[in-house]
Amino acid sequence: MIEPMSHHFYLAFAAVFAIGIYVLLDSPHLVKKVIGLNLVQMSVFLVFVSAGYVDGGSPPLFVADGPYVNPLPHAIVLTAIVVGVSLSAVALALVVRLHTEFGTVDVHEIEAAIADDETGEVNADDE
Amino acid sequence: MTALEVALAVFVVVTALLTAVFRDLIGAVTTFAAFSLGISVVWLLLAAPDVALTEAAVGAGVMAMLLLVALVRTAQLLPERRSDGGKWFRKINVPAAAVVTTVAVALAYSVSFFPAIGEPTAPAVSSIDPAGNPAPYAQFVGADVGIPNAVAAVLVVYRNLDTFGEAVVAFTAVVGVLVVLRRNRMVDGPRECRRDRDHPELENGRNQLSGGHDTDESDIEYPDPYVMSPVVTTAIRTVVPLVFVFGVYLTLHGTVSPAGGFQGGVVVGSAFVLVGLAFGLGPTIDWVDERLLVAAMAGGVGLFVSVAFGAVAVTGTPFDVLAYAEATPLAVELIEVGIGLLIGGVVTTLVVVLAAGLKDDPGDAGHESDGADHGPHDSNGPDRLESAKKDREGGEST
């Protein structure tokens, strides 16, 4: 039995995760695919932090009165966000490099160009 | 659960959906930034202000900037092809939509077995303290480490080897970006892009957006020097010092407030990104000086390592920050400063290098220098380097 009122962020996770996968499957544009990966990543963070939440909880900063939320998910999500943006930058650098090589960021066109190289023929379908 | 939380959940799903279906790539990046902003408000409501700070600076600021820079570098400012859909949105890809709908339904069904969000008896919350104490971390973080910020204690004291690994990953990402983008010049030499070789008629239209690439390699320094509106430059001149000081404050106050090196580092980095936005990222790297960035990153890692291995002198165990006894809060602060230096340097370097390349590396400006034949694509390395060198010398003499 799905209870949207008490699981709202979990359901948002399911939706955003699926949307991220959809972008990865659907768009041939490589920059769009990087955005899709980031959507998937953020949706997983949403589960982590939601799971550590307590009703009426204070931030895990022991100057206020309890109850406090679980600080462990915060610690891992915090570092994962920074690592995620670093890895996205590497992915985007690879996209820029591919564009330098092939003049396009469309995976189908890149695959066609690679196929051309392998067969040594000029592909008439390419543009 | 409040109405605000439900509204935010709907907001993040809608912005994610718009990101997926927009044909316009700038529009997709903008809605993705809005998504990140929505998520960072969600973190705030879930009592995670430190995560919210990081997310606001990284997701809505740095990540959007990286995506825009990548779009500019690849001359992809126009919407995706019209054949893929209508005026605004992409055509729905029915097989992909069917697959992901199945995934979404399965996930939604699975999460319905989770305890309700905020349930005090949920294992993720209650199992960390068998005695049922509502604030288990309060006791031992206060007694062990002597600082009130439990997230900083977990990051820097209990799990500091993980944190060090993550810092190394961030640094490795910088090295990776440098290698990927400089390989063009160091290994292959300047190369024409394949489509230009096959379709020279496309060259002019495609290069107008990226700007500057049609200039000769020897006299171009930055891919896109541009003049920004005085409104933007004035606003950024006013805001950047405050952003920078706020980032330093966050780094130094990591032990007593919801802040720390990661948050401070990304905020400092985003200050430099703002400067780059107003005055061009190429001139910014000259102004900051790349040696300063390298020094910040190396100094940050060095500080972290020296504090972590300084513990060997006390107890013989590296990374045992608790060995410093009463000086532990000071050790934590030093490590936070190290992380702040490293992350600030990493964020700045990633954006600037992706956009402009380093000073002695004119990016990939050489790949379409003068339309000369650079030899077949599959020629081996040394030959290619040789011919590239010849081409460049020829280009400079003319």
Side-chain angles (χ1 to χ4, degrees), chain A residues 2-112:
Chain A
I2 296 176
E3 305 158 69
M5 284 300 108
S6 58
H7 291 72
H8 45 299
F9 287 140
Y10 292 146
L11 295 177
F13 145 74
V16 175
F17 187 91
I19 291 168
I21 300 284
Y22 176 80
V23 175
L24 285 173
L25 290 175
D26 168 54
S27 179
H29 197 287
L30 285 169
V31 176
K32 216 50 189 302
K33 282 186 193 290
V34 174
I35 297 179
L37 273 176
N38 272 278
L39 288 177
V40 172
Q41 182 192 359
M42 295 310 305
S43 72
V44 176
F45 296 162
L46 195 53
V47 177
F48 275 32
V49 177
S50 302
Y53 182 68
V54 188
D55 270 334
S58 312
L61 190 74
F62 302 130
V63 287
D65 288 332
Y68 301 102
V69 301
N70 191 344
L72 277 180
H74 299 193
I76 190 166
V77 167
L78 195 60
T79 52
I81 288 174
V82 175
V83 168
V85 76
S86 308
L87 296 186
S88 299
V90 176
L92 290 173
L94 287 168
V95 172
V96 169
R97 172 86 180 126
L98 276 170
H99 177 263
T100 312
E101 191 79 12
F102 292 100
T104 175
V105 288
D106 186 300
V107 281
H108 302 315
E109 291 174 18
I110 291 173
E111 278 166 6

Side-chain angles (χ1 to χ4, degrees), chain B residues 61-124:
Chain B
V62 176
M63 192 63 214
M65 189 67 187
L66 282 171
L67 290 167
L68 287 178
V69 160
L71 289 177
V72 171
R73 279 293 293 272
T74 55
Q76 299 291 319
L77 295 181
L78 299 173
E80 287 186 74
R81 278 201 312 269
R82 197 62 178 269
S83 61
D84 284 347
K87 187 178 180 216
W88 295 101
F89 301 116
R90 290 177 55 76
K91 194 170 58 188
I92 298 297
N93 183 337
V94 176
V99 169
V100 300
T101 308
T102 317
V103 171
V105 169
L107 282 175
Y109 180 69
S110 310
V111 296
S112 69
F113 291 100
F114 284 17
I117 296 170
E119 179 72 55
T121 55

